[in-house]
Amino acid sequence: MTKRPRSTSPALDSPAMKKSKEDAQFLPNKIATAKNAANVDASPPVFQLLDTVHTGVKNLAKGDCVVYWMRMEDMRIRDNRALAQASAQARKGGVPLIALFVLSPQDYIAHDRSPRRIDFTLRNLKCIKDDLARLNVPLYTVSHTPRTKIPDFVHDLMLQWKASHVFGNIEYEVDELRRDLALCRIAKKQGKVACTFVHDKCIVPPGDVRTKEGKGYTVYSPFLRSWAPVLEKAGSHHLDEAPLPQANDSSVHQHAVFGKFFKMEVPNGVEGFTMDPEERDHISTFWPAGEGAAHEMLSRFLNTAARSSQFGAVDPLTKGAKQVDPIKQSRLGKYKDARDRMDSDTTSRLSPYLAAGIVSARACVREALAASSKKKLDVSRDTGVGRWIQELAWRDFYTHIVALFPRVSMGRPFQEKYAGVRWETNAAHLQAWKEGRTGVPIVDAAMRQARTMGWMHNRARMIAAMYLVKDLMIDWRLGEQYFMETLIDGDLASNNGGWQWSASTGVDPAPYFRIFNPYTQSQKTDPGGEYIRHFVPELAKVRGEEVHKPPPALADKLGYPRPLVNHDEARKRAIHRYKNIGEE
């Protein structure tokens, strides 16, 4: 990923935002120039990487091992393509498989990673280490700086271990693609290690669906019309489950080098990203680690009824889930009509697990179709399963955009015509939005949910994002940055896509004149006010219409802030500024 813009406001006091002289050596520019971004778009690094892999080192000596390089987006053993291929290569060569994970604190700073996401990564690494150990596969976890030298560092490790091959799943952000390209070029020059990077994150990889002109789609509906037939095509393997890795021979425990890896511990934290012990316990409850937890959450979404007791800051695996007919009564079955409701656990809550790759998107589609007794792919708007698979297709769509139009990961609006929109620089408003003190209950509930859980209901994200951009007229990139710094499911493609949709600057966006009325949205998504009362305790005893828009006297009495802006006036201002680029 490439860094998003940083505010000069003193109110933005995140440690990741303090830039020292040393930082300047690794933090990328705030926003790429339009020219530089266009140059990157002209030759997307993802295709450069695939070409380099194709022309890489061949006909190698056997070596002493094969390495699978795990990243922050493929943290699982099941249905993992790079891991499966690495295992097959190790089996073929009669050598052990070694797993590698490189912690990169500078990348986490540069990419606005949240402490919650780093903690989630480490907790899942501990689970993976134990699972791999049962297969006699050691996990070597190491931290490295500077981030610019990671390709050299990894190649040096391969030489030390006498590895013949290294396998990894592709990460589609610009920085990560350039890192892997650098490793491939170093390896090709030295001629001793073969590098293989494969598609795994998406159900349909970037480049597999294109317009008639051979370009990537920039509108979702035609993308979906091309995406679905790829999966339905005879002989398609896009939904196939990758084989589990084979166990190493137990003798690897006695190996002079690899045997020591089994005794190496996954660290409990990364400097600069540690969490208060109490908060860590809370977040661990809301988001349990491990593939087992992820698959149980998926199963509950597919097979159990929604519960109003489960929408808030609670353990998602609490007992009491009622098994129901998956087709009509389950959370999946009712997803079409209930997905925007915030007062119950109507959604899957799987976004942290998909973002970290703890469960594959392919598995989600396979299991959803099986639970719904579907023999063919369903992407219709008329069924729960069809609607949910459409959401997974949106995830693919936004990842394709990052891969094929990499300027969006360089701080640029997809639609350059909106690059000159006049934004407000009101630090007090930005801080009030972050803290959930805007005076708009549904927005404040959403932002407080983010602070409490490290997560937000998707509709809440849309409402909160559009409020920041259209009501407060604050640059969408500051909101994008804050979500990455706060949420446990931070994913550049989905986060950037969502923010640019709300800001009307991205692919297939909401038209600039489409501006959510937060009060109307509140009544639609939380009609009884349960979500608001749960996360905004000042309004815990307010009932009826007033919970959505407290009168000034009531707000003052309860110690709840009055609205920062008048929505109707803010709407007119936003439309004027988008229609007249550069004007106040």
Side-chain angles (χ1 to χ4, degrees):
M1 289 176 282
T2 299
K3 183 67 183 136
R4 220 66 55 237
R6 296 181 181 276
S7 167
T8 57
S9 165
L12 306 184
D13 55 2
S14 165
M17 301 180 68
K18 293 183 172 65
K19 194 171 181 179
S20 66
K21 291 182 179 179
E22 181 181 352
D23 291 337
Q25 298 176 11
F26 73 88
L27 289 176
N29 292 328
K30 295 176 181 179
I31 304 175
T33 65
K35 181 179 179 180
N36 288 343
N39 288 339
V40 175
D41 268 10
S43 180
V46 65
F47 297 125
Q48 296 179 42
L49 176 62
L50 292 171
D51 289 344
T52 304
V53 167
H54 182 69
T55 59
V57 182
K58 311 292 182 184
N59 304 316
L60 288 162
K62 175 180 171 181
D64 286 356
C65 68
V66 169
V67 174
Y68 158 59
W69 182 5
M70 177 175 281
R71 284 88 185 279
M72 286 181 71
E73 296 181 353
D74 62 344
M75 302 187 69
R76 66 182 181 278
I77 293 175
R78 284 183 262 182
D79 199 13
N80 183 322
R81 287 181 171 162
L83 177 57
Q85 291 186 30
S87 177
Q89 181 64 46
R91 194 81 170 175
K92 178 181 177 182
V95 296
L97 171 66
I98 308 298
L100 168 68
F101 194 96
V102 181
L103 297 166
S104 178
Q106 288 186 348
D107 273 310
Y108 305 155
I109 293 172
H111 300 161
D112 296 323
R113 290 295 188 185
S114 74
R116 291 158 173 175
R117 178 65 187 276
I118 302 306
D119 174 72
F120 192 55
T121 297
L122 297 175
R123 288 192 287 118
N124 278 284
L125 269 179
K126 292 176 186 289
C127 296
I128 290 166
K129 177 179 174 62
D130 292 341
D131 291 342
L132 287 173
R134 295 185 188 96
L135 298 172
N136 298 318
V137 175
L139 171 65
Y140 184 86
T141 302
V142 62
S143 180
H144 186 77
T145 56
R147 70 181 187 131
T148 55
K149 294 298 183 181
I150 285 178
D152 300 274
F153 174 72
V154 170
H155 187 260
D156 288 346
L157 280 181
M158 299 305 102
L159 296 182
Q160 291 174 30
W161 298 347
K162 297 181 181 178
S164 60
H165 297 75
V166 58
F167 290 80
N169 290 310
I170 297 174
E171 294 180 294
Y172 296 103
E173 298 84 359
V174 169
D175 283 359
E176 283 72 5
L177 289 167
R178 288 173 171 167
R179 174 202 63 201
D180 292 346
L181 260 170
L183 173 60
C184 287
R185 289 166 178 163
I186 293 168
K188 186 175 182 179
K189 183 178 180 180
Q190 297 294 324
K192 295 182 179 181
V193 182
C195 300
T196 301
F197 294 99
V198 300
H199 295 296
D200 180 78
K201 177 179 179 178
C202 292
I203 299 164
V204 176
D208 278 19
V209 290
R210 296 176 181 266
T211 65
K212 292 179 181 179
E213 294 76 28
K215 299 180 180 179
Y217 284 96
T218 59
V219 179
Y220 175 74
S221 294
F223 170 84
L224 182 66
R225 288 195 293 269
S226 294
W227 181 87
V230 169
L231 302 181
E232 296 168 328
K233 187 177 180 181
S236 169
H237 296 289
H238 289 85
L239 289 174
D240 289 358
E241 183 173 2
L244 287 167
Q246 297 291 306
N248 284 335
D249 188 278
S250 60
S251 62
V252 69
H253 287 270
Q254 281 73 53
H255 190 280
V257 176
F258 309 144
K260 297 176 183 178
F261 298 170
F262 289 101
K263 298 178 182 178
M264 295 177 63
E265 296 294 331
V266 174
N268 291 320
V270 172
E271 186 177 357
F273 294 87
T274 55
M275 296 168 62
D276 176 88
E278 184 177 357
E279 182 188 9
R280 189 174 187 273
D281 288 344
H282 286 317
I283 295 296
S284 298
T285 299
F286 307 150
W287 309 108
E291 289 183 69
H295 282 271
E296 175 61 21
M297 289 175 68
L298 174 59
S299 177
R300 289 194 179 198
F301 174 66
L302 302 179
N303 299 292
T304 69
R307 292 182 285 170
S308 59
S309 62
Q310 289 296 106
F311 73 82
V314 296
D315 181 349
L317 300 180
T318 299
K319 294 180 179 180
K322 182 181 178 182
Q323 294 283 326
V324 294
D325 177 4
I327 299 175
K328 295 181 179 180
Q329 300 300 319
S330 72
R331 290 152 64 191
L332 174 69
K334 293 189 173 185
Y335 188 77
K336 176 179 78 74
D337 298 317
R339 68 188 185 282
D340 289 336
R341 288 290 292 268
M342 301 182 197
D343 53 0
S344 187
D345 62 337
T346 55
T347 64
S348 70
R349 276 182 61 167
L350 282 171
S351 57
Y353 300 89
L354 283 165
I358 298 162
V359 62
S360 75
R362 296 183 295 275
C364 291
V365 174
R366 289 194 304 265
E367 294 189 32
L369 293 174
S372 303
S373 300
K374 300 279 186 180
K375 294 183 179 180
K376 293 184 177 180
L377 184 70
D378 182 353
V379 292
S380 74
R381 299 169 61 89
D382 302 322
T383 65
V385 64
R387 278 287 192 174
W388 194 57
I389 291 176
Q390 278 197 22
E391 293 299 320
L392 294 170
W394 269 106
R395 180 176 179 270
D396 267 19
F397 176 62
Y398 281 142
T399 303
H400 285 218
I401 294 300
V402 165
L404 304 179
F405 303 94
R407 71 173 179 273
V408 300
S409 66
M410 301 172 72
R412 299 301 307 183
F414 183 83
Q415 299 194 43
E416 287 289 344
K417 65 182 179 180
Y418 292 127
V421 168
R422 185 68 175 267
W423 303 110
E424 293 293 298
T425 54
N426 192 320
H429 280 190
L430 177 59
Q431 194 65 22
W433 175 81
K434 290 181 177 183
E435 295 176 1
R437 296 185 294 101
T438 68
V440 180
I442 195 67
V443 173
D444 293 342
M447 298 306 295
R448 295 187 197 189
Q449 181 179 34
R451 291 166 69 89
T452 302
M453 296 181 63
W455 180 85
M456 267 197 226
H457 186 289
N458 186 59
R459 194 69 181 183
R461 297 181 197 220
M462 296 167 71
I463 295 169
M466 192 166 286
Y467 179 83
L468 180 75
V469 174
K470 301 285 179 68
D471 281 55
L472 300 184
M473 280 306 296
I474 289 176
D475 193 324
W476 58 271
R477 285 163 288 215
L478 294 173
E480 179 193 16
Q481 177 185 355
Y482 181 70
F483 273 19
M484 287 296 291
E485 291 176 337
T486 304
L487 301 179
I488 197 169
D489 60 2
D491 172 82
L492 174 65
S494 295
N495 192 44
N496 179 272
W499 273 99
Q500 293 221 45
W501 182 90
S502 295
S504 302
T505 61
V507 292
D508 202 6
Y512 72 81
F513 50 81
R514 181 185 177 187
I515 300 174
F516 283 174
N517 182 320
Y519 305 110
T520 303
Q521 288 290 318
S522 183
Q523 292 170 334
K524 289 180 178 178
T525 61
D526 185 29
E530 296 298 331
Y531 177 79
I532 291 172
R533 282 190 289 272
H534 183 84
F535 287 107
V536 185
E538 301 99 300
L539 306 179
K541 295 182 179 180
V542 179
R543 296 291 187 273
E545 295 295 314
E546 292 183 342
V547 75
H548 301 288
K549 190 176 183 180
L554 177 61
D556 293 346
K557 178 181 178 181
L558 298 174
Y560 182 68
R562 293 190 182 190
L564 297 174
V565 294
N566 177 285
H567 171 69
D568 292 334
E569 294 174 0
R571 182 179 185 278
K572 291 176 183 178
R573 177 180 66 177
I575 291 173
H576 175 79
R577 290 196 183 179
Y578 274 87
K579 192 174 181 179
N580 304 278
I581 303 298
E583 292 187 14
E584 278 280 358

